[in-house]
């Protein structure tokens, strides 16, 4: 496994965080997976630091497919930690040694989530994807999911 990937993952996990692993048994969208641990516990995990298009948004289905290709049915490593308002664990994820966050951003299947990002290296991957017009960046004006989710003003 790439040493930089391991270092990035360990740094993001943080000291004292309990690292776990399990088989990915579900992919809800481009930034959410379900892992079945060795203890037969299902853990729904929201990939930290990125935000993928919503399922009914442009590139939503492609983003989910991209994450499925690298994670579904594979071993995932994650850290137990904070939960979001939907009860999902928020964590950096590696699937069979692949940094899922970096993969989604590099292939243009997710945005770096400015509000929560700590891995500044994700920005270089996003700039590269944008420059190469990969994935959602092939759209002349892609709408970030945080704007897409925002209630529309009544006219």
């Amino acid at each position: 496994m790439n040493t930089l990937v391991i270092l990035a993952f360990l740094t993001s996990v943080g000291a004292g965080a309990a690292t776990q692993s399990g088989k990915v048994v579900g992919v809800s969208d481009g930034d959410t997976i379900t892992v079945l641990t060795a203890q037969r516990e299902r853990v729904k995990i929201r990939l930290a630091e990125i935000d993928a298009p919503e399922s009914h948004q442009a590139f939503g289905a492609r983003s989910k497919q991209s994450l499925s290709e690298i994670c579904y049915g594979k071993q995932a490593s994650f850290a137990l930690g904070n939960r979001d308002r939907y009860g999902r664990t928020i964590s950096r994820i590696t699937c069979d040694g692949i940094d899922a966050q970096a993969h989604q951003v590099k292939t243009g299947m997710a945005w770096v989530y400015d509000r929560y990002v700590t891995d500044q290296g994700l920005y270089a991957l996003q700039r590269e994807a944008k420059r190469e017009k990969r994935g959602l960046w092939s759209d002349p004006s892609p709408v970030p999911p945080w704007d897409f989710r925002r209630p529309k003003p009544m006219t």
Side-chain angles (χ1 to χ4, degrees):
M1 186 179 343
N2 183 324
T3 305
L4 291 176
V5 171
I6 294 170
L7 285 173
F9 179 71
L10 292 175
T11 301
S12 68
V13 167
T19 302
Q20 291 201 5
S21 65
K23 183 177 182 179
V24 178
V25 295
V27 178
S28 303
D29 55 32
D31 58 25
T32 306
I33 63 173
T34 301
V35 174
L36 183 63
T37 67
Q39 296 76 31
R40 312 283 305 155
E41 177 187 4
R42 286 181 176 268
V43 182
K44 195 161 200 168
I45 304 169
R46 167 71 163 76
L47 277 65
E49 305 187 50
I50 68 169
D51 202 3
E54 296 295 322
S55 298
H56 48 285
Q57 184 179 358
F59 291 93
R62 288 180 57 193
S63 179
K64 176 182 177 179
Q65 181 63 35
S66 173
L67 187 59
S68 294
E69 288 170 2
I70 63 162
C71 289
Y72 188 76
K74 300 190 176 138
Q75 280 296 116
S77 297
F78 61 96
L80 290 177
N82 294 334
R83 293 183 183 268
D84 67 9
R85 63 182 174 200
Y86 305 108
R88 301 174 295 187
T89 296
I90 302 169
S91 182
R92 291 288 301 221
I93 302 291
T94 59
C95 295
D96 277 357
I98 297 172
D99 179 325
Q101 288 78 195
H103 171 82
Q104 289 294 85
V105 171
K106 183 176 180 147
T107 57
M109 293 297 140
W111 278 263
V112 175
Y113 206 166
D114 295 330
R115 188 171 172 186
Y116 301 108
V117 70
T118 59
D119 178 357
Q120 299 300 307
L122 290 172
Y123 284 112
L125 297 175
Q126 181 169 278
R127 282 190 301 274
E128 176 186 319
K130 191 173 185 177
R131 184 177 59 249
E132 300 292 325
K133 296 187 182 337
R134 292 186 199 131
L136 61 91
W137 300 110
S138 65
D139 186 321
S141 9
V143 177
W146 52 87
D147 287 343
F148 185 82
R149 289 188 294 266
R150 188 175 300 142
K152 311 298 182 264
M154 295 181 61
T155 55

